[in-house]
Amino acid sequence: MKLISFKGFLHSMYVLGFAFVVMVALSGSPYYSLAPTDRPHHDMHSTLKPGGLWGHALGIVGSSMVLLLLLYSLRKRQKFGLRHGRLSRWLDIHIFFGVVGPLLITLHTAMKFGGIVSISYYSMVLVALSGVFGRFVYMQIPRDSTGEALGLEGASKRLDEVRQSVAGRLPEDALAGIDRFIGESTVFPAKGGVSAIVMTIRHEFAMPMRTRRLARFLAAGKQELPHSDIQQIVRLAKRQAVLIRRIAMMDTMTRLLHYWHVFHKPFAYIMIAIMIVHVAVAVSFGYTWVF
Amino acid sequence: MTILILSISALPARAQISPGELSQPHAFLEGIKNCLNCHKLGSGPSAEKCLECHREIEVRMKQEKGFHYVVVNDGSQSCFSCHNEHAGRGFRLINWPDGRKNFDHSTTGWSLQGAHAVAECRQCHKPALIKDDLSAHRSSINLKTTFLGLRDECVSCHTDEHRGQLSDDCTGCHGVETFEKAPGFDHHNAKFRLTGKHENVTCDKCHKSVSDKQPWDKNDRFTRFAPVPHDNCKRCHSDPHEKQLGECASCHATSGWRDVADANFDHSRTHFALVGRHSQVVCEQCHGDRPRSEPIRFDACTSCHADPHQGQFASRPDEGRCDACHNESGFAPALFTAEDHAEATFALTGAHLAQPCASCHVAVTTASGTTFEKFRFQRTDCAACHRDEHHQQFAPKTCEACHIVDGWHSVDFVHDRDSSYKLDGEHRGVVCSGCHVSVGADGGSFIRYKPIDPSCETCHADKSDMRLGG
């Protein structure tokens, strides 16, 4: 029996990670808020400076996370025998490391960005921010439960399944309301990446209002559906509308994700390369933390 | 794309391995080529590397002296505990955690006490007072900002107000509160110990302010403490005796000019040597309670002695000088001899020569009650001294008419010549007292010489008595 689901574990890790980052940031704020020229005279300097006991540890843990998130790429390509586990979970961990690792590294820098290693840092920031965007684009491509892309055929099949699960439960007048909802939610395929993104965002923003309207319509029907059924129906209708949109945008989003990789990966490589140089220089100059 | 971005970023990133700018004093060490000037591969920033440049500190460390030696010696701190780097150009490389004024100077091995504790740092730590040749250790050292190079001898900062006259150990006499007072100085430890009155005179009475006329010193005056000649009193004191009496200390004591050491005083060095009885009298008898140094007249004996003769000899040619008759051997006996008396108005002859002086020179008392021996007489005839035993029987004849000075009984009297009654017959054999008998009674009795009735009955009362003559 599982004690905790993967999502629960992941959420716990996020909570712990953010709590730790916030705690360090708040307790170190008197130090971090000082001008660089004043910091060495502060009591926390020996602890929180990049080479300090805590500062160095933050760097080691943060950079380790950044290195570990590369495993996702290997898993995705099934290199070095990494074939196990759902790709989506690998991605979730990849994202977790990609979020918390940069935050820890930011604390490691003590908000002092300079020299060649700053290129690594800013690259990391770009990679992390682009990761958020990539995650968004990634989500717009219909996938199965393991995270694999369904493709147009698979997606259409999934849509039919959803439609049938909705249609089998409802009378005609209710279905008419759902069709109207779907109709309102239908978007035309956008060829341009930017317009696809804009349309997707607008669609997402409009979705709550439309789902509330559908819920009210169903609640006012003659069937007097229970509330839980209404919620279920609305959720399926929403999934159907989103799936229709994603199928419509699938080509564009797939193409966009490809381009995104072209941006995301080089900065990741830059980040890693300079980070290795940075670590090598630090170690060669004797900064080996507690070792 | 990665290669492109790396190539572009590598240009400005060149020499940016450094984690941050160096402080201004170390700015010349900026650049990737200089990392190993401070850092040691594998062991981080190195104190040895620091000291390779900061030789002035290294010297102090080797001497086991100074602040850096103290704080580093216990192993708890290194150069970088205080002197961080790569914190930017404006970074203060020297930090004063509690403020410079509150710096615990005792950690330098020299604690600030007294007036030093309130002095500004740069009152002492300034180029003019830096005695060590710091530039020999590091040519770039800035003497205006360094805190090194001072020495702990007082004279390294303070002008030697004594101009090398005294010991270098200023604290032997002076405290750290003020120079003006010298609580540690004890004149008893000096070559010249202060005793008596010397203890109360102010220093400047003996230690004068003199000038060394040194152009380098605004204050060219200093107090002469040594050498102050003190081999004799006249180095400081004037000699009121004008070199006549030799060493002052042979008579005077430091307890006061007037406190002459009587027992030691050789009076012969004065104009009045004490001889005879004078040598036996105590000083007070002549000097009284007046200072010994206060002159007293000694040109005449009467300066001290009362004239027992009450000026009776003042009319003499020598105006009655005492030493004409007396000397220091004593007032009596006088030196006045019979021969001298022969020179007097009344020469002594005969029985007078055998008389003690007092027989004639008797004590008299004046109306004012003064008693003295009388030496001056209004008369020198016999009656001036002698009583008239004859009760005026021979007046107006004087004594010399019958008596001579050889004696009372040596009488130049021839009865037949000098008397109106001639002795003849049996009268010639009669002793004087046969006819001249005592008359009167008690003190008033005397021998009757005249007038005597020449008739026989005066002496012969009856016949039988007449036979006495036959």
Side-chain angles (χ1 to χ4, degrees), chain B residues 18-316:
Chain B
S18 166
E21 277 189 330
L22 294 169
S23 62
Q24 186 60 43
H26 288 153
F28 69 99
L29 290 168
E30 205 73 79
I32 195 168
K33 292 178 182 175
N34 292 317
C35 298
L36 295 180
N37 283 335
C38 304
H39 293 270
K40 224 176 176 180
L41 280 178
S43 60
S46 161
E48 290 174 22
K49 296 275 187 179
C50 296
L51 296 179
E52 279 179 11
C53 284
H54 293 277
R55 296 272 184 206
E56 73 280 10
I57 304 287
E58 183 189 33
V59 168
R60 299 283 286 168
M61 299 291 280
K62 285 181 177 174
Q63 292 172 341
E64 300 186 353
K65 287 181 177 176
F67 172 74
H68 289 100
Y69 173 74
V70 171
V71 298
V72 170
N73 189 44
D74 65 3
S76 64
Q77 298 192 63
S78 67
C79 303
F80 323 103
S81 302
C82 301
H83 307 295
N84 275 277
E85 257 304 355
H86 295 293
R89 282 285 188 274
F91 175 62
R92 288 170 287 114
L93 204 51
I94 297 174
N95 183 41
W96 307 92
D98 302 317
R100 200 165 76 172
K101 284 189 174 180
N102 297 320
F103 173 66
D104 179 8
H105 211 284
S106 64
T107 53
T108 67
W110 204 79
S111 60
L112 294 180
Q113 297 174 341
H116 295 123
V118 295
E120 292 293 326
C121 304
R122 293 295 170 198
Q123 278 182 263
C124 302
H125 294 286
K126 57 185 179 183
L129 299 181
I130 293 175
K131 297 295 189 294
D132 290 345
D133 185 10
L134 298 177
S135 60
H137 306 308
R138 184 159 65 90
S139 59
S140 61
I141 196 164
N142 186 345
L143 298 183
K144 290 181 179 176
T145 57
T146 185
F147 289 93
L148 297 172
L150 297 190
R151 295 182 180 171
D152 54 10
E153 301 94 3
C154 303
V155 291
S156 73
C157 292
H158 298 280
T159 301
D160 179 7
E161 294 293 345
H162 305 314
R163 306 297 197 275
Q165 303 172 85
L166 305 175
S167 160
D168 287 343
D169 179 21
C170 307
T171 55
C173 298
H174 297 280
V176 291
E177 296 294 343
T178 174
F179 176 76
E180 302 306 324
K181 296 177 180 175
F185 177 71
D186 184 355
H187 216 294
H188 284 82
N189 297 328
K191 291 177 182 173
F192 184 76
R193 294 187 61 183
L194 294 184
T195 57
K197 291 280 188 183
H198 287 143
E199 289 183 315
N200 300 324
V201 297
T202 55
C203 306
D204 59 353
K205 291 288 184 185
C206 303
H207 300 287
K208 301 296 183 187
S209 175
V210 296
S211 170
D212 56 4
K213 296 178 181 173
Q214 291 292 340
W216 45 264
D217 189 2
K218 290 178 184 174
N219 179 15
D220 67 345
R221 300 201 70 79
F222 68 99
T223 304
R224 172 68 69 194
F225 284 107
V228 174
H230 55 271
D231 51 334
N232 67 61
C233 307
K234 294 169 198 168
R235 294 286 190 180
C236 292
H237 298 281
S238 60
D239 181 6
H241 305 309
E242 298 179 341
K243 301 182 180 177
Q244 298 175 78
L245 300 183
E247 288 298 319
C248 309
S250 62
C251 301
H252 297 281
T254 56
S255 56
W257 170 249
R258 296 176 178 184
D259 294 342
V260 175
D262 293 340
N264 298 330
F265 182 66
D266 180 5
H267 217 288
S268 65
R269 289 188 298 185
T270 70
H271 291 297
F272 189 78
L274 297 181
V275 295
R277 295 286 293 278
H278 282 148
S279 65
Q280 298 169 15
V281 299
V282 294
C283 306
E284 287 76 13
Q285 206 161 338
C286 301
H287 293 281
D289 57 358
R290 292 173 300 175
R292 300 292 188 265
S293 59
E294 188 175 305
I296 56 176
R297 295 184 65 86
F298 57 90
D299 51 341
C301 300
T302 51
S303 299
C304 293
H305 299 281
D307 180 9
H309 303 311
Q310 294 293 307
Q312 296 174 85
F313 302 116
S315 61
R316 294 199 313 201

Side-chain angles (χ1 to χ4, degrees), chain A residues 74-100:
Chain A
L74 298 177
R75 167 66 183 85
K76 198 166 64 175
R77 291 170 181 78
Q78 297 191 350
K79 294 285 179 68
F80 301 108
L82 294 175
R83 296 187 183 84
H84 305 291
R86 292 185 194 173
L87 196 59
S88 61
R89 290 186 176 178
W90 279 87
L91 179 60
D92 285 337
I93 293 171
H94 172 87
I95 292 170
F96 171 75
F97 284 159
V99 171
V100 178

